[in-house]
Amino acid sequence: MNTKLTFISASIALTFAGSALAQVPAGYPADYQKIIDGARKEARLVIYSATDSKAAQPLIKDFNVLYPGVKVEYSDMNSTEVYNRFISEAAAGGNTADVVWSSAMDLQMRLASEGNALKYRSHEAGKLPAWAVWNDSAYGTTFEPAAIVYNKRLLTGSEIPRTHAAFAAIIKQEKFRDKVTTYDIEKSGVGFMFMTADGRENPQFGELQNAFGVAKVRVQSSTGTMLERISSGENLIGYNVLGSYALVRAKTDPSLGVVLPADYTLIMSRVQFINKAARNPNAAKLWMDYLLSVRGQTVIANESKLFAIRADVTGETTSAELIKIIGEKNVKPIPVHPSLLEYLAPAKRMAFLKQWKDTAGKK
C-alpha cells in the first residue's frame, strides 16, 4: 500500500453503561470486567496498520457492536511507514499508536523484542499455533500465502509455473523481459521479509535471483500496484505477491490467475502487539482479544478475506482450507520469533541488498 488512508469508525451514540453487549465474553474470568470498564473510560483506540482499510473496516464495525463506547482511529500505511512512524513518535514521547498491526513480521519483532510491546497474555492465545505467539507480547493474527500471480489472457499451459524452480526457468525467456514484477525489497517491509525467507527456504535461491536479473524485474512497493499491472498486461507475472489480496481480486478480475507454489508456500501472519506505553491500554486489550477470538477470526475469514489463523474457524479463507489446498508438508509458516531479526542486522541487511542489486537488480 502506497497511500495513507485513515478510517475513523463512526461514533455510535451509546455508552457501556446500560449496554447489554458490553459484557464479559463467555469463558473469560469475571475480573475481565475491569478491562471493559477501563476501556469505557478511555473511550478511544489508536491503531497503526499495514492492513487495507477496506479489509479492516468489517472488524472495526463488529468491534464497535461489542464495545460501542470505544472510538477506533485506524491509520493505514505501508509496512515500512508503520514502523518508521511508530519509532519516531515513540522516541519523541508524543502521541502514537496503542496497537501496531503489520505484515512486516520482522519489523514487528524488532519493535517487540526491543521492549516496545506490552506483555499481555490474551485469553485466546491457547487457540493459536505455538509458532504464532511470542513472549505473550506479539501475536500472529492471519495465515496468508505468498503467491505467484499471472495474466490469464497472456500466459497459458506450460508458461504458468507451479514451483519456484519452474518460475526461475520460465522468466528467463525473452517473452518475460521487462514483464516480471515483485516487491521493491528496499522499500517494502513485507517484500524484504518474504525474500529473505526465500533465501532460507529455497536451495536454488541464487538461481532465482539470477533469473530476476535476466528478466530485468520491475519492482513495486505495494501489492495493489503489482496486481493492477499484471491485470493490464503491462507485466505478465508477479512473484511473492500477497496471496490474500490476490485471491480476492482474482474472483472479480478474469485477467488474474493465482498459483500457490507446489514445492513450498511461504505463510505470512500479520503480527500485532500492544504498545507498552499505550495511552489506551484497556481498549487495546479488548481489541487484541477480539481479533484473536472465534468471532473476530470469523470476520477475518469471511469478510476481510485475510485467512483466519485459528484452526477452529470455518470459511473459505482459513488456515484449514489453505492447508487442504497446498498440503500440510508444503506449508511453511514464518514464525513470530526474534529469529526474523537475522537480516535486519545492518551488515546482514546491506549484504543481502547488495547481492540482490548485483544479480536480480541489474539492468
Side-chain angles (χ1 to χ4, degrees):
M1 290 163 288
N2 285 334
T3 58
K4 290 185 179 180
L5 301 174
T6 300
F7 173 80
I8 301 179
S9 63
S11 180
I12 303 174
L14 294 171
T15 63
F16 282 94
S19 172
L21 294 175
Q23 297 176 347
V24 175
Y28 280 38
D31 64 2
Y32 195 75
Q33 187 65 50
K34 295 178 182 177
I35 294 177
I36 295 175
D37 292 342
R40 176 189 62 191
K41 293 176 183 177
E42 293 162 359
R44 184 172 182 247
L45 175 62
V46 180
I47 302 173
Y48 288 177
S49 179
T51 302
D52 284 343
S53 292
K54 184 177 180 180
Q57 187 170 353
L59 290 161
I60 296 170
K61 182 179 178 181
D62 190 50
F63 178 76
N64 270 144
V65 170
L66 291 173
Y67 306 110
V70 178
K71 183 175 74 171
V72 179
E73 298 179 14
Y74 188 87
S75 293
D76 165 16
M77 300 164 262
N78 74 34
S79 54
T80 303
E81 288 175 317
V82 169
Y83 175 82
N84 288 336
R85 181 172 172 182
F86 178 80
I87 60 171
S88 63
E89 291 175 347
N95 293 336
T96 191
D98 299 307
V99 169
V100 184
W101 186 29
S102 175
S103 52
M105 298 175 68
D106 49 358
L107 294 178
Q108 288 290 88
M109 286 309 304
R110 171 184 275 179
L111 291 173
S113 63
E114 290 180 348
N116 293 287
L118 177 71
K119 192 162 186 175
Y120 174 65
R121 177 70 177 178
S122 170
H123 293 277
E124 306 292 345
K127 299 296 185 180
L128 302 179
W131 59 261
V133 181
W134 178 75
N135 198 35
D136 292 343
S137 302
Y139 294 88
T141 63
T142 59
F143 196 90
E144 301 173 63
I148 295 169
V149 180
Y150 64 96
N151 186 299
K152 292 169 69 175
R153 292 181 289 104
L154 302 175
L155 297 183
T156 58
S158 62
E159 294 176 319
I160 303 168
R162 303 297 174 182
T163 66
H164 291 82
F167 176 86
I170 286 168
I171 66 171
K172 291 180 181 179
Q173 298 174 16
E174 182 64 28
K175 177 176 181 175
F176 290 87
R177 185 72 56 87
D178 296 314
K179 297 291 186 179
V180 179
T181 187
T182 192
Y183 290 107
D184 183 340
I185 67 171
E186 290 189 86
K187 297 179 181 178
S188 167
V190 69
F192 182 81
M193 181 198 67
F194 272 147
M195 203 62 74
T196 55
D198 267 327
R200 288 187 290 263
E201 194 66 42
N202 187 348
Q204 285 84 44
F205 183 68
E207 184 63 24
L208 176 64
Q209 286 185 300
N210 287 329
F212 277 127
V214 172
K216 298 188 180 298
V217 64
R218 299 303 179 186
V219 297
Q220 306 297 336
S221 59
S222 77
T223 307
T225 302
M226 285 194 284
L227 294 176
E228 286 290 342
R229 295 191 178 189
I230 296 168
S231 177
S232 71
E234 181 177 348
N235 295 138
L236 294 177
I237 198 165
Y239 181 80
N240 271 353
V241 182
L242 198 53
S244 50
Y245 292 163
L247 288 165
V248 169
R249 172 73 179 265
K251 286 185 176 181
T252 58
D253 188 337
S255 295
L256 292 180
V258 181
V259 173
L260 302 178
D263 51 338
Y264 71 88
T265 296
L266 293 174
I267 301 296
M268 178 275 290
S269 186
R270 293 169 196 265
V271 174
Q272 181 169 262
F273 67 83
I274 298 171
N275 178 9
K276 189 175 182 179
R279 299 197 174 206
N280 306 292
N282 292 292
K285 292 174 183 177
L286 290 187
W287 173 263
M288 178 70 82
D289 289 330
Y290 164 74
L291 201 66
L292 300 177
S293 69
V294 168
R295 178 167 176 157
Q297 288 280 302
T298 299
V299 174
I300 282 177
N302 296 292
E303 295 185 57
S304 300
K305 304 295 185 182
L306 295 178
F307 287 91
I309 192 170
R310 286 180 61 139
D312 58 349
V313 171
T314 58
E316 185 178 353
T317 53
T318 64
S319 59
E321 291 302 314
L322 198 61
I323 290 170
K324 286 180 184 178
I325 294 169
I326 302 171
E328 191 165 3
K329 68 182 180 66
N330 295 327
V331 171
K332 302 295 181 182
I334 300 171
V336 181
H337 190 271
S339 59
L340 290 174
L341 303 182
E342 176 187 359
Y343 283 96
L344 293 185
K348 190 88 170 181
R349 177 179 170 84
M350 291 303 295
F352 189 88
L353 289 175
K354 183 178 185 304
Q355 177 69 15
W356 171 261
K357 289 178 181 178
D358 289 347
T359 53
K362 64 186 178 183
K363 299 297 182 186

